[in-house]
């Protein structure tokens, strides 16, 4: 059998488009389900398997996604919590980037596609060490707490979704204190290796007109 006949047939991603798989506002490829209805988000999350963009609930399209991006900076820069990061890959539903109220979950590639719609090109990307470590640390803690982003919220640097019951919130507070240092000891090598492979948790991007 020759090489051509043994290779699996190539199915274009567009073939999966339909009501359940609306087009990605950044690149136009169909979106697929990623997370079920997470309590702190209030809607299921879809993701684009081409550019990596994540969307909580529905999208009104490219203009809305660009407006959401601009709110993370201005029309020439943005700081994103990268959905293509190692922290997100290991955290899944516990990823600290899933803050209450989040709608668009950007990746560097999705930003590149979006700003290209207004003739901009990404000129610089820069890993943000401190914030990245905080996000990875909180992602690890989220795997053992009932609530979400409890520790960073207590430090005043994230929006939390506290657990529903008082005893759960007490356990979360205790766990966050007891596990703070062990989680940090794991977060540092995880985040450093992520940064090494350009998959750090938080990235500053600058873009300009072509
Ligand atoms: Zn996409």
């Amino acid at each position: 059998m020759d090489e051509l006949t043994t290779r699996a047939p190539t199915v274009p991603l567009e073939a999966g488009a339909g009501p359940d798989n609306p087009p990605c506002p950044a690149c136009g490829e169909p979106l697929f389900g990623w997370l079920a209805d997470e309590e702190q988000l209030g809607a299921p999350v879809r993701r684009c398997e081409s550019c990596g963009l994540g969307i909580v609930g529905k999208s009104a399209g490219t203009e809305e996604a660009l407006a959401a991006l601009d709110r993370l900076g201005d029309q020439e820069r943005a700081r994103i919590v990268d959905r293509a990061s190692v922290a997100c890959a290991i955290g899944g539903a516990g990823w600290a980037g899933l803050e209450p109220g989040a709608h668009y979950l950007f990746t560097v590639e999705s930003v590149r596609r979006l700003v290209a719609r207004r003739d901009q090109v990404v000129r610089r990307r820069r890993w943000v060490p401190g914030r990245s470590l905080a996000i990875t640390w909180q992602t690890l803690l989220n795997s053992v707490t009932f609530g979400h982003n409890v520790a960073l919220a207590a430090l005043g640097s994230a929006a939390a979704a506290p657990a529903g019951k008082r005893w759960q919130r007490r356990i979360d507070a205790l766990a966050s204190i007891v596990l703070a240092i062990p989680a940090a000891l794991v977060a540092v090598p995880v985040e450093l290796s992520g940064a090494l492979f350009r998959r750090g948790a938080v990235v500053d991007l600058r873009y300009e007109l072509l």
Side-chain angles (χ1 to χ4, degrees), residues 21-73:
N21 306 94
C24 169
C27 72
E29 298 291 346
L31 299 169
F32 293 93
W34 178 41
L35 299 172
D37 195 345
E38 294 300 318
E39 205 171 305
Q40 80 271 18
L41 298 172
V45 188
R46 289 192 176 95
R47 68 175 168 190
C48 172
E49 294 183 5
S50 177
C51 74
L53 182 68
I55 298 164
V56 181
K58 289 184 164 46
S59 168
T62 305
E63 290 302 316
E64 184 186 70
L66 274 167
L69 178 66
D70 290 343
R71 283 196 293 276
L72 302 178

Side-chain angles (χ1 to χ4, degrees), residues 40 81 86-88 90-100 129-163 171-173 175-177 179-188 190-191 201-202:
Q40 80 271 18
V81 183
V86 168
C88 178
I90 62 170
W95 174 47
L98 293 170
E99 286 195 298
R131 188 64 187 161
S132 289
L133 282 167
I135 289 289
T136 301
W137 175 72
Q138 178 65 75
T139 297
L140 293 170
L141 289 174
N142 282 344
S143 65
V144 294
T145 55
F146 295 102
H148 190 87
N149 287 3
V150 174
L152 278 185
L155 297 171
S157 66
I171 288 179
D172 282 359
S176 298
I177 292 165
L179 296 174
I181 291 173
L185 292 176
V186 177
V188 170
V190 165
E191 183 54 32
V202 182

